[in-house]
Amino acid sequence: MHKLVFATNNQHKTDEIRLALAGQYEILNLNDIGCTEDIPETADTFEGNATLKSSYVVENFKLDCFADDSGLEIEALNNEPGIFSARYSGSRDTVENMQLVLQKLKGQTNRRAKFKTVISLMIAGQNHIFEGVIEGTIRESLSGIKGFGYDPIFQPNGYDITFAEMEMEEKNKISHRAIALKKMMEFLKG
Ligand code: ITT
């Protein structure tokens, strides 16, 4: 079976893809191929960072690979935190990161924001890019405890609850990551 590496250490993400592509691709993650390197994410776009990760694996392990990069873009903050989402406040503390966002948006009536995921799939020497976006608004305060990252302050359009108040199965059906993955899987199946 065709081997395809997913450049992540997240076992949950790996299992999800493995199930979806069962019988078609053998999915390996960084751990499975013995890649312990902290792959640099030094580009200034999601696409650039996803491509850095996928090309690192292709060059060093000679295997086809895909990688993703995501983050939150807030319109009134010139699309910040964007590629800096994981460490916006200087730390990985998600409450500190959300508090910084809320502080910067104080008094701001434009609360529009979007989550974005970009996937780089390097297969047969070619880079294919897939993007997933979900639009919504930033709440005035935190609400809900499910999910991760900025979920307690992000309310997707068409809902009156935040991502952190939503069942995981429901979020996983509509999220930015789900949209991008679906596009890649359609490409791979086609
Ligand atoms: P890996 O690169 O190791 O996969 P990461 O935390 O950097 O881990 P992402 O690139 O997917 O993961 O996302 C970067 C940050 O964007 C993440 O740390 C969160 O703060 C935020 N983020 C991404 N997707 C999110 C989601 O579905 N819900 C809430 N926050 C999210």
Side-chain angles (χ1 to χ4, degrees), residues 8-10 13 41 53 68-72 85-86 92 94 97 115 148-151 163 171 175-177:
T8 181
N9 287 308
N10 185 323
K13 285 191 196 174
E41 292 180 42
K53 287 192 266 186
D68 66 346
D69 195 32
S70 357
L72 177 67
S85 293
R92 279 198 165 261
T94 54
N97 289 333
F115 271 124
F148 71 104
Y150 297 88
D151 283 346
F163 260 174
K171 179 190 164 190
S175 79
H176 45 311
R177 215 174 343 272

Coordinates of all heavy atoms in Angstrom, one line a residue, residues 8-10 13 41 53 68-72 85-86 92 94 97 115 148-151 163 171 175-177, ligand 1:
T8 N 2.9 15.1 12.0 CA 2.3 15.6 13.3 C 2.7 14.6 14.3 O 3.1 13.4 14.0 CB 0.8 15.6 13.2 OG1 0.3 16.1 14.5 CG2 0.1 14.3 12.9
N9 N 2.7 15.0 15.6 CA 2.9 14.1 16.7 C 1.6 13.8 17.4 O 1.5 13.1 18.4 CB 3.9 14.7 17.7 CG 5.3 14.6 17.1 OD1 5.8 13.6 16.7 ND2 6.0 15.7 17.1
N10 N 0.5 14.4 16.9 CA -0.8 14.2 17.5 C -1.5 12.9 17.1 O -1.9 12.8 15.9 CB -1.6 15.5 17.1 CG -3.0 15.5 17.7 OD1 -3.6 14.5 18.0 ND2 -3.4 16.7 18.1
K13 N -5.2 13.1 15.7 CA -5.3 13.5 14.3 C -4.9 12.4 13.4 O -5.6 12.2 12.3 CB -4.4 14.7 14.0 CG -4.8 16.1 14.6 CD -3.8 17.1 13.9 CE -3.8 18.5 14.5 NZ -2.8 19.3 13.9
E41 N 9.2 26.1 12.0 CA 8.1 26.7 11.3 C 8.3 28.2 11.3 O 7.8 29.0 12.0 CB 6.8 26.4 12.1 CG 6.4 25.0 12.1 CD 5.1 24.7 12.9 OE1 4.1 25.5 12.8 OE2 5.1 23.7 13.6
K53 N 7.1 22.0 6.8 CA 7.0 20.7 7.5 C 6.9 19.5 6.5 O 7.6 18.5 6.6 CB 5.7 20.6 8.4 CG 5.9 21.5 9.6 CD 4.8 21.2 10.6 CE 3.6 22.1 10.5 NZ 2.6 22.0 11.5
D68 N -0.2 20.2 8.3 CA -1.1 21.3 8.4 C -0.6 22.4 9.3 O 0.2 22.2 10.1 CB -2.5 20.8 8.8 CG -2.5 20.2 10.3 OD1 -1.4 20.0 10.8 OD2 -3.6 20.1 10.8
D69 N -1.2 23.6 9.1 CA -0.9 24.7 10.0 C -2.2 25.5 10.1 O -2.9 25.7 9.1 CB 0.2 25.6 9.5 CG 0.8 26.5 10.5 OD1 0.8 26.1 11.7 OD2 1.3 27.6 10.2
S70 N -2.5 25.9 11.3 CA -3.8 26.6 11.5 C -3.6 27.8 12.5 O -2.7 27.9 13.2 CB -4.9 25.7 12.0 OG -4.6 24.4 12.1
G71 N -4.7 28.6 12.5 CA -4.7 29.7 13.5 C -6.0 30.5 13.3 O -6.8 30.2 12.5
L72 N -6.1 31.5 14.2 CA -7.2 32.4 14.3 C -6.9 33.7 13.7 O -5.9 34.3 14.0 CB -7.6 32.5 15.8 CG -8.8 33.5 16.1 CD1 -10.1 32.9 15.5 CD2 -8.9 33.7 17.6
S85 N -0.8 32.3 16.6 CA -1.9 31.8 17.5 C -1.4 31.0 18.7 O -1.9 31.3 19.8 CB -2.9 31.0 16.7 OG -3.5 31.9 15.7
A86 N -0.5 30.1 18.5 CA -0.1 29.2 19.5 C 0.6 29.9 20.7 O 0.4 29.5 21.8 CB 0.8 28.1 19.0
R92 N 2.3 29.6 25.8 CA 1.3 28.7 25.2 C 0.1 28.6 26.0 O -0.8 27.8 25.7 CB 2.0 27.3 25.1 CG 2.8 27.1 23.8 CD 3.0 25.6 23.5 NE 3.6 25.5 22.1 CZ 2.8 25.2 21.1 NH1 1.5 25.0 21.2 NH2 3.4 25.1 19.9
T94 N -3.4 29.1 27.1 CA -4.5 29.5 26.2 C -5.3 30.6 26.8 O -5.9 31.4 26.1 CB -5.4 28.2 25.8 OG1 -5.8 27.6 27.0 CG2 -4.6 27.3 25.0
N97 N -3.6 33.8 26.2 CA -3.8 34.2 24.8 C -5.1 34.8 24.5 O -5.3 35.8 23.9 CB -3.5 33.0 23.9 CG -2.0 32.6 23.9 OD1 -1.1 33.5 24.1 ND2 -1.7 31.4 23.7
F115 N -11.3 31.0 11.7 CA -10.2 30.0 11.9 C -9.9 29.5 10.5 O -10.7 29.2 9.7 CB -10.8 28.8 12.7 CG -10.6 28.9 14.2 CD1 -11.7 28.8 15.0 CD2 -9.4 29.1 14.8 CE1 -11.6 28.9 16.4 CE2 -9.2 29.2 16.2 CZ -10.4 29.1 17.0
F148 N -10.1 23.2 22.5 CA -8.8 23.7 22.9 C -8.6 25.1 22.4 O -9.5 25.6 21.7 CB -7.7 22.7 22.4 CG -7.5 22.7 21.0 CD1 -6.4 23.4 20.4 CD2 -8.3 22.1 20.1 CE1 -6.1 23.4 19.0 CE2 -8.1 22.1 18.7 CZ -7.0 22.8 18.2
G149 N -7.4 25.6 22.6 CA -7.0 26.9 22.1 C -8.1 28.0 22.3 O -8.5 28.2 23.4
Y150 N -8.5 28.7 21.2 CA -9.4 29.8 21.3 C -10.8 29.4 21.3 O -11.7 30.3 21.2 CB -9.1 30.8 20.2 CG -7.7 31.4 20.2 CD1 -6.6 30.7 19.6 CD2 -7.4 32.6 20.9 CE1 -5.3 31.2 19.7 CE2 -6.1 33.1 21.0 CZ -5.1 32.4 20.4 OH -3.8 32.9 20.4
D151 N -11.2 28.2 21.4 CA -12.5 27.7 21.3 C -13.5 28.4 22.2 O -14.6 28.7 21.8 CB -12.6 26.2 21.5 CG -12.2 25.4 20.3 OD1 -12.0 26.0 19.2 OD2 -11.9 24.2 20.4
F163 N -17.4 27.3 20.1 CA -16.8 26.0 19.8 C -16.6 25.2 21.1 O -16.7 23.9 21.1 CB -15.4 26.2 19.1 CG -15.4 26.0 17.6 CD1 -14.3 26.3 16.9 CD2 -16.6 25.6 17.0 CE1 -14.3 26.2 15.5 CE2 -16.6 25.5 15.6 CZ -15.4 25.7 14.8
K171 N -18.2 19.9 16.3 CA -17.1 20.8 15.9 C -16.3 20.1 14.8 O -15.9 20.7 13.8 CB -16.2 21.1 17.1 CG -15.1 22.0 16.7 CD -14.0 22.2 17.7 CE -12.8 22.8 17.1 NZ -11.6 22.9 17.9
S175 N -15.5 22.2 11.4 CA -14.3 23.0 11.6 C -13.5 23.3 10.4 O -13.6 22.6 9.4 CB -13.4 22.4 12.7 OG -12.7 21.3 12.1
H176 N -12.6 24.3 10.5 CA -11.6 24.7 9.4 C -10.8 23.4 9.1 O -10.6 23.2 7.9 CB -10.8 25.8 10.0 CG -10.3 25.6 11.4 ND1 -11.1 25.3 12.4 CD2 -9.1 25.7 11.9 CE1 -10.5 25.2 13.5 NE2 -9.2 25.4 13.3
R177 N -10.3 22.7 10.1 CA -9.5 21.5 9.8 C -10.3 20.4 9.1 O -9.8 19.9 8.1 CB -9.0 20.9 11.2 CG -7.6 20.3 11.1 CD -7.1 19.9 12.5 NE -7.9 20.4 13.6 CZ -7.6 21.6 14.2 NH1 -6.6 22.3 13.8 NH2 -8.4 22.0 15.2
Ligands
ITT1 P1 1.1 21.3 15.9 O1 1.7 22.3 15.0 O2 2.1 20.5 16.7 O3 0.1 20.4 15.2 P2 -0.2 23.6 17.1 O4 -0.8 23.9 18.5 O5 0.7 24.6 16.5 O6 0.3 22.1 17.1 P3 -2.0 24.3 14.9 O7 -1.0 24.7 14.0 O8 -3.1 23.5 14.3 O9 -1.5 23.5 16.1 O10 -2.7 25.6 15.5 C1 -2.0 26.7 16.0 C2 -2.8 27.4 17.1 O11 -4.0 27.9 16.6 C3 -3.2 26.4 18.2 O12 -2.2 26.3 19.2 C4 -4.5 27.1 18.8 O13 -4.1 28.2 19.6 C5 -5.1 27.8 17.5 N1 -6.1 26.8 16.9 C6 -5.9 26.1 15.8 N2 -7.0 25.3 15.6 C7 -7.9 25.6 16.6 C8 -9.2 25.1 17.0 O14 -9.8 24.2 16.3 N3 -9.7 25.6 18.1 C9 -9.1 26.6 18.8 N4 -7.9 27.0 18.6 C10 -7.3 26.6 17.5

